[in-house]
Amino acid sequence: MSTKHLPETVVVEILLRLPVKSLLRFRYVSKRWRSLISDPRFAKSHFRQASERSQRLLISSRSEILSLDCNVPFRDSSTLREHVVPSLRRGRHVRIVGSCNGLVCVAVHRHKGFHIWNPSTGDVRKLPDPTFSLRGENYWHGFGYDPSTDDYKLLVASFLFLPRYQGSEGKLFSLKRNSWKTILLGADASSQAYESTWILCNGSLHWQLELWEELGSVWVPECRDQICVFDLAEEKFHEMLMPVEVGDRFNGIFFCALGNLGGCLYFISYNRTHINLWRMMECGVRESWALTLQIAYFHLKISRHNLAPVCISKDGQIVAINDGKELLKCNSEGEILEHVRAFSD
């Protein structure tokens, strides 16, 4: 007994293993293939399988967007590739706001000009601009996926911090509804952020805040930090505790960067001799914060305020960006294995 067609399950398995450029051509084979390849569920499955085979991450500077292969030596010509967001002027400063499931949110201004970009297909979607009644000094951004509604959401917050006036305003965009709505913020204007981008982890956006208090007519740091968390499904804020007690600031431990490394939240801290990497091994559990890496300053000229780990390679090495210009790779003992200038000024 013979058949003219392969079972659809076999066809799907074959297509899932093809590069994106081939899939874009195969959309024109038939209406059925076009429907299959254009299905968001197929896109997610294809991205998941491609991520298992290759580990390329997007990184950006003021003038460039590059993709980085974390598993090859820096001297390899395939390690870094330059990317240009279609429809945006080459050389224009484009900030990466966040990425999730192969989609990247970029912005050309702090309060407007947001785009959703798929680097694999080249598709770009311009979002309507939010309307702020408060034009703040600081703008915070966060982009992520809400699996409960199968929706991508963008959070933009405007903060004004003046000696006699503090104000804030939040806007949340739904990709599915293609609209913005006003949302109450869980951090008041007396909180200062170290970074202007929320860190996506486990369905929530995270931000490190430095708390300030008013003494007379001036605002001064309280010498304590907190982690502000925004749940994308519930669309609510809550607080998460820091890795160590606030008193450790006075003992020479300072926390200066929050990020996502291997699916876990991380903190960069520094003292007089080392830069330290803390990872939260179980999301939301303070006791699971673990000191997993220490790099002594004498290994390399490292900017303690601007060291940003970006990934863990398949062989367990940590890849980081130093001072926004240099790529470095180190092992779990903190030994620098490779370093190379990646970005131009």
Side-chain angles (χ1 to χ4, degrees):
M1 183 176 180
S2 62
T3 179
K4 295 182 179 180
H5 304 285
L6 291 173
E8 184 164 301
T9 55
V10 176
V11 173
V12 170
E13 288 300 317
I14 294 173
L15 293 177
L16 286 173
R17 288 163 171 76
L18 296 178
V20 172
K21 289 184 178 179
S22 298
L23 293 177
L24 294 178
R25 296 199 307 269
F26 291 162
R27 288 187 300 181
Y28 299 98
V29 169
S30 66
K31 291 183 178 179
R32 178 57 191 154
W33 277 33
R34 183 178 185 85
S35 174
L36 174 63
I37 294 172
S38 302
D39 190 318
R41 292 171 297 181
F42 176 87
K44 291 177 186 176
S45 297
H46 184 270
F47 173 76
R48 184 167 54 250
Q49 289 202 18
S51 299
E52 293 173 354
R53 296 192 299 269
S54 176
Q55 195 177 13
R56 295 199 75 91
L57 297 177
L58 285 179
I59 53 180
S60 66
S61 69
R62 291 193 58 82
S63 61
E64 300 172 283
I65 294 181
L66 304 175
S67 67
L68 165 69
D69 189 334
C70 301
N71 297 302
V72 300
F74 291 158
R75 62 180 178 275
D76 194 301
S77 60
S78 65
T79 301
L80 289 170
R81 297 176 187 167
E82 184 178 1
H83 290 263
V84 176
V85 182
S87 76
L88 297 182
R89 187 172 70 247
R90 190 181 183 92
R92 185 176 188 177
H93 175 41
V94 178
R95 178 187 178 86
I96 296 179
V97 171
S99 63
C100 186
N101 297 336
L103 296 181
V104 183
C105 181
V106 299
V108 294
H109 300 285
R110 295 185 301 165
H111 63 289
K112 64 179 182 178
F114 298 101
H115 297 72
I116 303 299
W117 169 44
N118 187 329
S120 297
T121 64
D123 294 335
V124 178
R125 174 175 168 180
K126 169 79 166 60
L127 305 185
D129 291 332
T131 302
F132 286 97
S133 59
L134 174 71
R135 289 295 299 272
E137 295 178 319
N138 297 323
Y139 287 88
W140 303 351
H141 313 97
F143 176 71
Y145 174 68
D146 174 13
S148 67
T149 57
D150 190 28
D151 192 11
Y152 291 87
K153 297 177 180 179
L154 170 64
L155 178 64
V156 183
S158 171
F159 284 81
L160 187 61
F161 190 74
L162 299 174
R164 297 184 179 275
Y165 175 79
Q166 294 79 44
S168 61
E169 185 178 3
K171 299 290 183 178
L172 185 69
F173 182 81
S174 163
L175 201 64
K176 180 177 286 187
R177 297 192 303 268
N178 194 41
S179 63
W180 294 90
K181 72 177 183 180
T182 300
I183 190 164
L184 294 175
L185 298 180
D188 60 33
S190 62
S191 302
Q192 296 292 294
Y194 288 96
E195 301 289 343
S196 60
T197 299
W198 293 80
I199 304 303
L200 177 65
C201 187
N202 198 35
S204 295
L205 301 169
H206 302 74
W207 213 326
Q208 179 192 6
L209 303 176
E210 181 183 59
L211 302 182
W212 288 55
E213 61 182 343
E214 189 174 13
L215 292 179
S217 61
V218 296
W219 287 80
V220 297
E222 290 186 24
C223 290
R224 68 185 182 93
D225 298 340
Q226 72 178 33
I227 304 171
C228 183
V229 183
F230 180 74
D231 189 300
L232 288 168
E234 297 182 356
E235 298 184 354
K236 293 181 180 179
F237 291 88
H238 62 89
E239 180 184 341
M240 181 184 292
L241 294 175
M242 297 287 289
V244 296
E245 297 293 339
V246 295
D248 284 322
R249 246 197 183 204
F250 297 101
N251 295 328
I253 299 177
F254 296 87
F255 289 87
C256 59
L258 177 67
N260 183 323
L261 188 63
C264 298
L265 284 179
Y266 77 77
F267 254 118
I268 291 293
S269 72
Y270 65 92
N271 54 29
R272 294 180 181 86
T273 59
H274 290 78
I275 291 178
N276 307 302
L277 174 68
W278 304 70
R279 293 180 70 196
M280 178 176 264
M281 309 309 294
E282 186 176 349
C283 189
V285 180
R286 183 185 189 185
E287 291 73 20
S288 70
W289 282 107
L291 183 59
T292 57
L293 179 69
Q294 289 188 308
I295 303 176
Y297 292 139
F298 64 78
H299 279 323
L300 191 68
K301 185 178 180 181
I302 295 175
S303 174
R304 65 188 184 186
H305 295 286
N306 293 306
L307 183 70
V310 293
C311 70
I312 301 176
S313 66
K314 291 181 179 179
D315 54 4
Q317 297 170 355
I318 293 178
V319 179
I321 301 175
N322 178 38
D323 203 22
K325 301 174 184 178
E326 185 179 43
L327 282 172
L328 61 87
K329 186 180 291 184
C330 61
N331 58 24
S332 58
E333 285 74 40
E335 179 185 3
I336 305 298
L337 305 175
E338 293 184 90
H339 61 93
V340 66
R341 181 70 172 247
F343 291 106
S344 57
D345 292 326

